[in-house]
Amino acid sequence: MNVNRIRSGRSALTAVAAALALTLAACSSGGRDETSPTGGPTAGGGGEPQQITFLTHWGPEQVAQLEDAAARFSQDEPGITVSVQAVPFANLLSTLRTQGGSAGGPTMASIYDAWLPELVRDGVAAPAPAGVAEGVRDAWAENVVSASSAEDQVYGFPNEIDLYALNYNTRLFEEAGLDGPPTTFEELRSDARALTDEAKGQHGFGVITNWASGAVHPFLSLAASNGGHLLDDSGKAALTDDRVVAVADLYQQMLDDGSIDPAASAANANTTGPYLDNFAGGKTAMIVMANWWQGSLKETMGDAYADVATAPIPVGPDGDASSSISYSWLSMVNANADEAAQEASWKFLSWLNGPDSGENGSSAMGDILVGMGILPSRTSDIDAHQDALSDPFLKTYVDGLPDATPFPTVVGGDAASQALQKHIESLVFGQATPQQAMDAAAAEVDAALGN
């Protein structure tokens, strides 16, 4: 993937989507033991016992599943004990950086792919041993491998791919006399007005604040559906392009209409909070959100979850097709851990992400991800979970993979995202006009990227 262009990787994403419709051919390792970090004889049968730690931001249910998988691994590998450390998403990266070099600190971590370039630069992420890297290249689509790599070196196991769709409440649509979800920007604004009822505290469209990805990815998904991009072909900010400013104008129009309630937008600890509560409670009729929150909706809404449906991102006046920002996650090993702990960590991750650790040909990681409503990225996991991935909620996301727009994995990308977040929020809270917000955001994004 050309990391300087947000548009790159579309053909590779198509390969992931195509894999959803095909039966996986059995892969042969040519006699190589893929659970071994080196591709040769497995380690861990002798020597000192190893205590390794996996750092994640997952909730209690998923942590319990991961702990169960780790316990099964340790039954086969009694010399390796795996513990799980969970922190809020907002603290994930800082915990890895601050505790990673200490005794008892995380030896493995699940990270957002945008963080990888800087973790490699700073010597935090350990390169995968040759046998691990070969196994990853064999079992994952090329674009997913590239998001877990830097300068052609694999740095971890890809484990999920996420993208965005319009989520809407069918009951509220029926009550407003609307036949189906909007397909264009004009319909989105019109439907949002029709779905807004101040007397009920009900608003047509929800936005997210206080969380970079929550603010930035939906905004850029709408921009991508209007032909706009975060970066231009030279790697500089493209936020002052008319096709991106049009999204800021759309936000302003819906704010002026009263269709967006800024007070309902906040995220708490980044993945919960008023934005979720208002959609789940039927106070927000539409929101652009990622596939992974399906589990949160089911848990929060109970029987009312039956009212939730998904649809492609509405297309703007200058767009040719619906698109969505996509991003992925990977499991990496901390380069600050000692050599034996690193070897044990690669061994555990190879097992966790391997085809024999889960149910019916899935990896244990694949089983956990699908249970959360997350799209797994290993090709055999996609094949093993065909039935679950045909779920009506998820199908929109699966169908959107071929036209998704990858978020760029570049040094400074996380800071660029936070810069854009700040100025989207300045627009939402009435502190800047659409043009002012995008002008300021473009300048700060370029500064974050060193342009």
Side-chain angles (χ1 to χ4, degrees), residues 92-118:
L92 183 61
L93 182 59
S94 61
T95 300
L96 174 61
R97 287 187 176 279
T98 58
Q99 297 184 15
S102 62
T107 45
M108 302 166 285
S110 177
I111 65 163
Y112 176 32
D113 60 11
W115 299 339
L116 181 61
E118 293 176 18

Side-chain angles (χ1 to χ4, degrees), residues 239-240 245 248-249 252 419-420 422-424 426-427 430-444:
L239 297 171
T240 58
V245 176
D249 286 334
Q252 186 64 65
L420 179 53
K422 179 173 72 173
H423 294 290
I424 292 173
S426 72
L427 169 64
Q431 298 164 351
T433 67
Q435 190 67 58
Q436 288 170 341
M438 292 301 99
D439 286 346
E444 289 198 32

Side-chain angles (χ1 to χ4, degrees), residues 70-216:
R72 288 189 285 115
F73 169 77
S74 294
Q75 288 177 353
D76 294 333
E77 297 288 344
I80 303 175
T81 302
V82 184
S83 62
V84 180
Q85 179 184 2
V87 296
F89 173 78
N91 300 336
L92 183 61
L93 182 59
S94 61
T95 300
L96 174 61
R97 287 187 176 279
T98 58
Q99 297 184 15
S102 62
T107 45
M108 302 166 285
S110 177
I111 65 163
Y112 176 32
D113 60 11
W115 299 339
L116 181 61
E118 293 176 18
L119 292 173
V120 170
R121 179 199 64 192
D122 298 340
V124 178
V132 170
E134 184 179 353
V136 170
R137 292 190 181 101
D138 287 346
W140 276 265
E142 182 180 355
N143 75 296
V144 183
V145 176
S146 69
S148 299
S149 305
E151 298 180 355
D152 297 325
Q153 168 66 56
V154 173
Y155 278 87
F157 283 90
N159 51 41
E160 69 176 85
I161 187 165
D162 298 274
L163 63 162
Y164 287 75
L166 182 73
N167 287 216
Y168 65 101
N169 188 308
T170 58
R171 176 181 61 82
L172 298 182
F173 267 67
E174 291 171 4
E175 292 174 357
L178 300 172
D179 294 333
T183 60
T184 66
F185 280 15
E186 182 179 358
E187 291 176 358
L188 177 63
R189 181 186 181 189
S190 176
D191 289 357
R193 278 200 306 261
L195 290 158
T196 297
D197 187 334
E198 289 286 356
K200 296 180 180 178
Q202 177 181 308
H203 295 85
F205 187 75
V207 297
I208 303 172
T209 59
N210 199 40
W211 170 24
S213 295
V216 168

Side-chain angles (χ1 to χ4, degrees), residues 46 53 57 60 77 110 145 168 198 200 217 238 307 360 408 410 439 445 449:
T53 302
H57 68 291
E77 297 288 344
S110 177
V145 176
Y168 65 101
E198 289 286 356
K200 296 180 180 178
H217 289 175
D307 297 331
N360 302 316
V410 293
D439 286 346
V445 166
L449 299 178

Side-chain angles (χ1 to χ4, degrees), residues 299-322:
E299 181 180 356
T300 306
M301 298 181 73
D303 292 342
Y305 172 76
D307 297 331
V308 176
T310 58
I313 306 291
V315 180
D318 294 315
D320 297 323
S322 176

Side-chain angles (χ1 to χ4, degrees), residues 43-67:
E48 293 296 322
Q50 288 297 319
Q51 172 73 47
I52 55 178
T53 302
F54 189 101
L55 176 66
T56 180
H57 68 291
W58 287 348
E61 182 179 348
Q62 289 73 44
V63 166
Q65 289 178 286
L66 185 57
E67 288 174 336

